[in-house]
Amino acid sequence: MSGAFSSINLHYLFGGLGITIIVSLISIIISFVVGLILGVVLYEDIPYFSRTVRFIVNTIRNLPLLLLIFFTYFALPKLGIELNAFAATVVAMSVFEATMVAEIIRGGLLSIGQGQKEGALSTGMTNLQTLWYIELPQALKRSIPPLISQFISLVKDTSLATAIVLPEMMFRSQVIYGQNPNYMIPMFILVAALYFMVNYSLSLLAKWFDRRMVS
C-alpha cells in the first residue's frame, strides 16, 4: 500500500489530475459559449439555418464521445489537420458537450412563458432585446442544474482520452499500477476520491452561483 502511494507516484498522479482539470476547464468554457449560441439559434427557429443546426446537433449528440475523440486524433490528420492528444481531446469534448449545452439552453428558453416575450415586444423592445434582457437570464438560471450535471459528466469523460494516450489522471494511474498489480486497487480508490472531490467542488460552486442569482 505504501509503495503505491510513494511520493514519486503521487507526484506523477497529481500531474495527471492537473491535466484532467485543465482539459475540463477549457472544454467547459468553449462548450458553454458555443452551446449558448447554438441553443439560441435552435430556439429562434431561423428559417433553413436553425434546421441545419438542429440536424448537426442531433447527429453529434447521438455519436459516442470516444468516436469523436478517435476522429479528431486519427482522422483529421488525414485531412491535413494535425492535433496532439491534448488539443484533440479538447476539440472533441468541446464539440460534443456544446451540442448537449445547446439542448439544455433551448429547453430553458422554451420554459419561459410566451406572455413575457409578447409583453416585452408590446413595450417596444426588439426581439434581440427581449431575448437578451428578459428570456436568456431566466433560461440560464433554470439551466444551472442540468448544466452542472453535464459538466460533471464532462470531467469524468476526460478518462476516455486514455485511448489516445493523453497523460491525464486515469492514464497515469494505469502506468502506476502497471509497475505492480498490487497497486491497482489503491490507485482505483485514490482516483475515485480525486474525481469525487473535483465534481463535488463543482456542484458546490453551482449551488453558490445559484444562491447569488436568487439574491
Side-chain angles (χ1 to χ4, degrees):
M1 181 72 74
S2 59
F5 298 143
S6 67
S7 59
I8 295 176
N9 286 345
L10 291 179
H11 183 269
Y12 183 68
L13 186 67
F14 286 133
L17 174 62
I19 294 176
T20 294
I21 292 174
I22 293 172
V23 168
S24 299
L25 286 177
I26 296 175
S27 300
I28 285 173
I29 293 171
I30 295 175
S31 63
F32 177 74
V33 173
V34 176
L36 179 63
I37 296 171
L38 294 178
V40 170
V41 170
L42 294 176
Y43 170 73
E44 288 296 326
D45 199 20
I46 304 169
Y48 302 109
F49 184 58
S50 290
R51 187 176 302 175
T52 302
V53 171
R54 184 174 294 110
F55 173 78
I56 295 172
V57 167
N58 288 335
T59 299
I60 295 175
R61 285 179 67 239
N62 288 285
L63 294 176
L65 176 55
L66 185 58
L67 175 62
L68 293 179
I69 292 174
F70 279 165
F71 177 83
T72 307
Y73 187 66
F74 294 112
L76 285 185
K78 305 295 184 182
L79 303 176
I81 304 175
E82 293 280 351
L83 296 175
N84 58 31
F86 182 92
T89 302
V90 168
V91 169
M93 297 194 70
S94 297
V95 169
F96 183 79
E97 294 299 328
T99 62
M100 301 297 184
V101 171
E103 284 298 327
I104 293 172
I105 296 298
R106 184 182 73 89
L109 287 168
L110 288 174
S111 70
I112 308 300
Q114 283 297 307
Q116 295 191 42
K117 182 174 184 178
E118 293 169 359
L121 292 174
S122 67
T123 63
M125 296 180 69
T126 65
N127 190 61
L128 182 60
Q129 289 174 327
T130 301
L131 175 68
W132 185 257
Y133 293 108
I134 305 297
E135 297 176 288
L136 202 52
Q138 297 182 72
L140 286 174
K141 182 176 180 297
R142 297 182 183 186
S143 298
I144 288 177
L147 281 174
I148 294 302
S149 295
Q150 191 59 47
F151 291 148
I152 287 174
S153 295
L154 182 154
V155 174
K156 293 184 289 187
D157 287 343
T158 56
S159 61
L160 294 174
T162 57
I164 58 173
V165 201
L166 177 70
E168 45 75 59
M169 183 166 59
M170 196 66 197
F171 176 85
R172 294 196 179 196
S173 72
Q174 293 174 351
V175 173
I176 292 172
Y177 67 69
Q179 307 170 36
N180 187 333
N182 293 327
Y183 294 172
M184 183 179 294
I185 293 179
M187 279 297 108
F188 283 166
I189 294 173
L190 179 56
V191 167
L194 292 174
Y195 273 121
F196 172 79
M197 286 189 291
V198 171
N199 289 324
Y200 186 65
S201 298
L202 190 58
S203 65
L204 290 178
L205 178 62
K207 291 179 182 178
W208 174 84
F209 188 67
D210 193 25
R211 288 196 299 268
R212 293 277 295 182
M213 292 190 70
V214 171
S215 60

